[in-house]
Amino acid sequence: MPQMKPCPHSPQRSIGGLALIPALALVLSLSACQKKEAAAPKALPPAQVKVVTSRSETVPVNNEYVGRVAAYRSVEVRARVEGILERRHFVEGAEVKKGDLLYTIDPTPYRIALNDAQADQARSAANLASARSKEKRLAPLVKENAISQQDYDDAVTAVKQTEALLAVSNANVERAQTNLGYTRVTATESGKIGAALVPEGRLVGRGESTHLTTVDRLDQVYVNFNVADRDALILRRELSAGRVKTGEGTGSAQARLFLPDGSEFERSGRLDFSESQVNPSTGTITLRVVMPNPSQKLLPGMYVRVVYTSGARPDTILIPQKAVTKTPTGHIAWVVGPENKVERRDLVVGEWLKSDWIIEKGLGAGEKVVVEGLQRLQQGAVVSPSPWTPSAGGAAGSPAAAAAVPSSGASR
């Protein structure tokens, strides 16, 4: 049988006399196969972002506290003499004026005491007149030695004694008249009267002046609140450094109130009093403002939120709240720089002012800050900026926050 010859163009190896065909098919000719060049990746367009220019303004230094309303003047109406409470002359909760009759205490014993005092006064006056007449008769006689000097001296002494007795009688009359007047209990202050604390027919004034009711003046009220001593020190330091200004045009020492339902009170008040000592139990200083209260919405004992303006901070950088992103390490913002490249900025923020953040560090005035389109930004990415316009409901937070959302401290 004739032996088969290998193909002269095929490589072969001989192992044990056997020719092996390589597993790799070298028959695939590189010259015969044509490569297709990979398509170049298509460049993505710049991200569309909306930007706003950071601005510098003079902003108020607002601080928020919890305050409590107190009457501008609260007068306790008390029984100043002992007796039976005969009648009440007012309607509880009504407005009264100074001098209005509130109560009547039985005047009978005091009227009798006045009559006795007046009778004693008349007797003393008569005795004085007699003593003076006698002294006048003896005066020329003692000059003529018709009577002894001792007799005349006795007459003069009698005049002085009766004058003293008349003075005592006059005082007794005045005391009796005063006590009789105290049986008519009148209002010593205009305002809203409280509840009657003692019913008619009860004995009052025995041993002490019985508390009958209270009149509160509410056309203006006090609002007391406490400031941490640390905040007071920080504010004082910033005032001395010139970073916070006070005086005319800054609205300093002014306070606005927010009622328990969240609404803002229509009037603002002024600082009236600052305690000169720190409370050692709480580490706070008590401040008090006077608030006009013509509608009497503010009632004694009511808790309110006090936004106190202690001054103004000039050259403060402001950007919208939407432009600031909170991260685990702090707050950041994205700034569009030259060639429309974005740059991440780490910020030190202050408090809210309406719908803006106060920026203390990290930004300057006139920089373009990204407000919308923050999701896919990367450091150095090229963007396509367009101006941002706030929407009608762009203010963040509650109605109180929209007006001002102050920090808990005087400053940072």
Side-chain angles (χ1 to χ4, degrees), residues 279-298:
N279 188 325
S281 302
T282 60
T284 58
I285 302 172
T286 299
L287 273 67
R288 185 179 71 191
V289 296
V290 178
M291 297 292 297
N293 189 33
S295 60
Q296 297 191 4
K297 287 183 180 179
L298 301 176

Side-chain angles (χ1 to χ4, degrees), residues 98-161:
K98 185 176 181 178
D100 286 354
L101 180 63
L102 304 179
Y103 289 98
T104 301
I105 298 173
D106 181 14
T108 303
Y110 299 99
R111 190 163 49 242
I112 294 173
L114 176 60
N115 292 336
D116 288 343
Q118 288 173 337
D120 186 67
Q121 181 187 46
R123 183 169 54 251
S124 297
N127 291 337
L128 178 60
S130 176
R132 285 175 174 171
S133 177
K134 183 178 179 181
E135 186 270 336
K136 287 181 180 180
R137 289 195 307 270
L138 296 180
L141 297 177
V142 73
K143 292 179 180 180
E144 297 174 358
N145 294 323
I147 60 171
S148 66
Q149 184 66 38
Q150 182 64 45
D151 291 338
Y152 179 73
D153 291 344
D154 290 343
V156 173
T157 301
V159 171
K160 293 181 179 180
Q161 288 176 342

Side-chain angles (χ1 to χ4, degrees), residues 319-328 330-334 345 347 349 357 370-371 374:
I319 61 174
Q321 294 175 23
K322 293 178 64 175
V324 178
T325 304
K326 184 172 177 57
T327 69
H331 296 79
I332 66 168
W334 293 92
R345 295 282 184 88
L347 307 176
V349 299
W357 269 114
V370 179
V371 180
L374 301 166

Side-chain angles (χ1 to χ4, degrees), residues 74-373:
S74 184
V75 178
E76 293 182 350
V77 179
R78 291 183 175 270
R80 304 174 70 175
V81 292
E82 180 181 340
I84 301 297
L85 195 64
E86 282 191 335
R87 187 179 176 188
R88 171 167 60 88
H89 300 274
F90 65 89
V91 177
E92 296 171 303
E95 291 286 334
V96 297
K97 294 183 179 180
K98 185 176 181 178
D100 286 354
L101 180 63
L102 304 179
Y103 289 98
T104 301
I105 298 173
D106 181 14
T108 303
Y110 299 99
R111 190 163 49 242
I112 294 173
L114 176 60
N115 292 336
D116 288 343
Q118 288 173 337
D120 186 67
Q121 181 187 46
R123 183 169 54 251
S124 297
N127 291 337
L128 178 60
S130 176
R132 285 175 174 171
S133 177
K134 183 178 179 181
E135 186 270 336
K136 287 181 180 180
R137 289 195 307 270
L138 296 180
L141 297 177
V142 73
K143 292 179 180 180
E144 297 174 358
N145 294 323
I147 60 171
S148 66
Q149 184 66 38
Q150 182 64 45
D151 291 338
Y152 179 73
D153 291 344
D154 290 343
V156 173
T157 301
V159 171
K160 293 181 179 180
Q161 288 176 342
T162 51
E163 286 177 344
L165 291 175
L166 180 59
V168 172
S169 298
N170 291 339
N172 290 335
V173 170
E174 185 176 358
R175 182 181 301 107
Q177 289 175 335
T178 300
N179 289 336
L180 181 61
Y182 285 159
T183 62
R184 291 171 56 84
V185 182
T186 59
T188 58
E189 182 63 64
S190 299
K192 180 173 288 189
I193 197 165
L197 304 179
V198 180
E200 296 167 326
R202 180 174 292 182
L203 178 65
V204 296
R206 171 166 288 184
E208 63 179 6
S209 54
T210 306
H211 186 190
L212 303 177
T213 188
T214 302
V215 177
D216 293 320
R217 180 178 171 183
L218 300 179
D219 58 335
Q220 55 184 355
V221 294
Y222 288 129
V223 179
N224 300 292
F225 58 95
N226 295 323
V227 177
D229 51 2
R230 173 184 175 275
D231 293 345
L233 289 173
I234 292 174
L235 176 60
R236 198 169 290 124
R237 182 168 61 246
E238 296 220 337
L239 286 171
S240 59
R243 290 189 292 268
V244 174
K245 305 291 186 181
T246 60
E248 293 293 332
T250 63
S252 57
Q254 296 292 315
R256 293 181 293 117
L257 299 186
F258 293 90
L259 303 177
D261 62 356
S263 62
E264 183 177 359
F265 187 63
E266 61 268 14
R267 300 292 186 95
S268 61
R270 56 179 176 82
L271 184 67
D272 171 72
F273 167 76
S274 176
E275 183 62 68
S276 59
Q277 297 181 354
V278 176
N279 188 325
S281 302
T282 60
T284 58
I285 302 172
T286 299
L287 273 67
R288 185 179 71 191
V289 296
V290 178
M291 297 292 297
N293 189 33
S295 60
Q296 297 191 4
K297 287 183 180 179
L298 301 176
L299 300 176
M302 179 184 291
Y303 285 96
V304 294
R305 191 155 54 88
V306 182
V307 178
Y308 176 63
T309 302
S310 53
R313 187 182 290 115
D315 303 325
T316 301
I317 306 300
L318 299 173
I319 61 174
Q321 294 175 23
K322 293 178 64 175
V324 178
T325 304
K326 184 172 177 57
T327 69
T329 59
H331 296 79
I332 66 168
W334 293 92
V335 176
V336 178
E339 300 179 356
N340 289 339
K341 292 183 179 180
V342 292
E343 174 190 353
R344 169 176 164 162
R345 295 282 184 88
D346 293 319
L347 307 176
V348 176
V349 299
E351 61 265 17
W352 287 357
L353 182 69
K354 298 183 180 179
S355 60
D356 294 327
W357 269 114
I358 292 176
I359 307 301
E360 298 187 352
K361 290 182 181 179
L363 269 182
E367 298 195 73
K368 294 181 180 180
V369 183
V370 179
V371 180
E372 293 183 2

